[in-house]
DNA sequence: GCCGATTTGTCCGTATGTATC
DNA sequence: CGATACATACGGACAAATCGG
């Protein structure tokens, strides 16, 4: 594993901001001071700072310094950035029991309609999986996953019922490097209503996602339909 | 204006990908070749490539090359990244007439509840603006904006009815550099229903946002409540 | 399986530009 | 104006992953 220096510095500074060593609206020590204390080059330090800026932890100001803009107990974007908490993470944090029920598992050939919806080439062989994921027995989301069959050999309904990602990373040594996402709100379908107990809501939050592996191949399209309660997507935008 | 070399290269490569000079799944020329053709250093070129990777245009592969992962006519995240199209942009693209109606414009002092909701310090003087924005007479979103009064001197309801950002950038020379966002789905309030013609929907898509200016001061909190139709938020996540 | 060539990833030192104070 | 601090850019060195012979 290539433990990069900038990664260490990034984590160290992030921790110091979170624990209050550098607090909201304060300035970090200057780049020169930090390069001395970390014993690294200015480029390496600046890379770590740039990552903190991408996370909206700091904001560098030309000619002035690097100001901390992170504060505790923020309602907006306090959790993990660019994403909903993963199902497992959320379950763990809330001491809830996560379960996954596989409703469908089949191989399909990508037709024109599916191709334009998912971004897979027409004619691709895909594995379609529909799953309902619950916490403490309460259904929270319906996943519609399409995997490029050639990219996920050996995928079974049993694996789909636990963690596909653990299988991909552990067994196939595949990582998701890039994923494009689109968030919309849609009227709940009969299927949504039958799986999720929507209560007063007649809509679901939908995240569509195209994921690319380390070979630059799009191997997964997912459409996750969330119960509106507890759905929250946090992100940061910079110019 | 500092025209950075890496910016030029970034735009040039981006254009060449969009027009098909480098097409989906192909590799870019090697870094060495590109540094020669652009006449720049490897660091500068790599910065441009890194920005393209942040936009999910390419995916660099260690020891192999840089693969293009952008394709035309993508349903997911083809528009502007990390954002909804701004109101003006959307209107222009659709040849629609944008209008803004200011429903409320008042100065308030930030109490404890508002402070925890918005992230402003308790006791701050804020300007609260409620606006309804329409296209061709059809209301599409309700904006609840809170500005730090000291940061937006001279803001008037008239300015709020056109473009606050043009005022901030043009008159006050202020830019938004960082903004944190949170996307949720909420039951429509009576106010939502009275302004938006929600049809069958009983929910709205809500984007909360905290914006920081170039001085690292949070000067704006907004909660924009969108009609579900035509609401779409595109983003990219990388690891 | 090994080895060398290619290609991207990380890191350094230095120089110069530009905004702020 | 000078001093400080961040921004950009260059060139070089070595590491790590990939690929072909």
């Amino acid at each position: 594993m290539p433990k990069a220096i900038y990664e260490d510095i990034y984590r160290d500074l992030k921790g110091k901001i979170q624990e209050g060593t550098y607090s909201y609206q304060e300035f970090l020590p200057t780049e020169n001071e930090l390069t001395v204390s970390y014993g690294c080059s200015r480029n390496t330090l600046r890379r770590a700072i740039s990552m903190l800026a991408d996370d909206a932890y700091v904001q560098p100001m030309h000619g002035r310094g690097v100001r901390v803009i992170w504060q505790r107990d923020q309602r907006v974007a306090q959790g993990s950035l660019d994403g909903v908490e993963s199902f497992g993470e959320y379950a763990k944090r809330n001491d809830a029991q996560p379960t996954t029920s596989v409703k469908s598992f089949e191989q399909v050939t990508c037709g024109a309609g599916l191709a334009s919806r998912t971004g897979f080439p027409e004619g691709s062989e895909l594995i379609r999986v529909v799953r309902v994921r619950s916490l403490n027995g309460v259904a929270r989301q319906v996943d519609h996953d399409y995997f490029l069959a050639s990219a996920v050999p050996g995928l079974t309904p049993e694996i789909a019922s636990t963690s596909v990602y653990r299988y991909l990373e552990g067994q196939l040594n595949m990582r998701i490097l890039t994923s494009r996402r689109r968030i919309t709100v849609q009227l709940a379908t009969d299927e949504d209503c039958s799986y999720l107990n929507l209560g007063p809501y007649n809509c679901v939050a939908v995240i569509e996602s195209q994921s690319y592996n380390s070979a630059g191949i799009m191997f997964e399209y997912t459409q996750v339909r969330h119960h509106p309660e507890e759905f929250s997507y946090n992100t940061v935008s910079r110019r």
Side-chain angles (χ1 to χ4, degrees), chain A residues 25-42:
Chain A
Q25 298 291 61
E26 272 182 12
F27 287 91
L28 295 186
T30 69
E31 292 180 351
N32 281 331
E33 289 169 344
L34 288 172
T35 54
V36 171
S37 65
Y38 283 114
C40 70
S41 75
R42 201 163 151 244

Side-chain angles (χ1 to χ4, degrees), chain A residues 25-27 49 58-69:
Chain A
Q25 298 291 61
E26 272 182 12
F27 287 91
I49 301 234
V58 300
Q59 183 164 294
M61 297 161 65
H62 196 159
R64 292 240 278 156
V66 178
R67 171 165 275 166
V68 175
I69 60 173

Side-chain angles (χ1 to χ4, degrees), chain A residues 134-216:
Chain A
S134 308
L135 284 180
N136 291 337
V138 180
R140 288 185 68 240
Q141 62 190 53
V142 183
D143 290 18
H144 297 254
D145 296 334
Y146 293 86
F147 296 96
L148 192 64
S150 59
V152 292
L155 182 64
T156 64
E158 288 68 36
I159 293 170
S161 72
T162 57
S163 174
V164 173
Y165 289 110
R166 195 171 314 141
Y167 173 70
L168 294 179
E169 296 192 4
Q171 304 300 312
L172 300 183
N173 197 25
M174 180 190 294
R175 285 172 303 167
I176 297 181
L177 283 195
T178 308
S179 88
R180 291 192 199 100
R181 294 176 185 167
R182 179 170 186 258
I183 302 171
T184 54
V185 175
Q186 298 179 17
L187 282 175
T189 64
D190 290 343
E191 187 188 55
D192 295 330
C193 293
S194 75
Y195 290 139
L196 307 172
N197 184 8
L198 287 175
Y201 299 91
N202 72 1
C203 295
V204 291
V206 180
I207 299 183
E208 292 171 275
S209 168
Q210 295 174 322
S211 298
Y212 289 79
N213 63 18
S214 53

Side-chain angles (χ1 to χ4, degrees), chain A residues 124-142:
Chain A
S124 311
E125 287 301 307
L126 306 177
I127 294 176
R128 172 174 178 272
V129 182
V130 178
R131 298 181 291 179
V132 174
R133 320 194 80 172
S134 308
L135 284 180
N136 291 337
V138 180
R140 288 185 68 240
Q141 62 190 53
V142 183

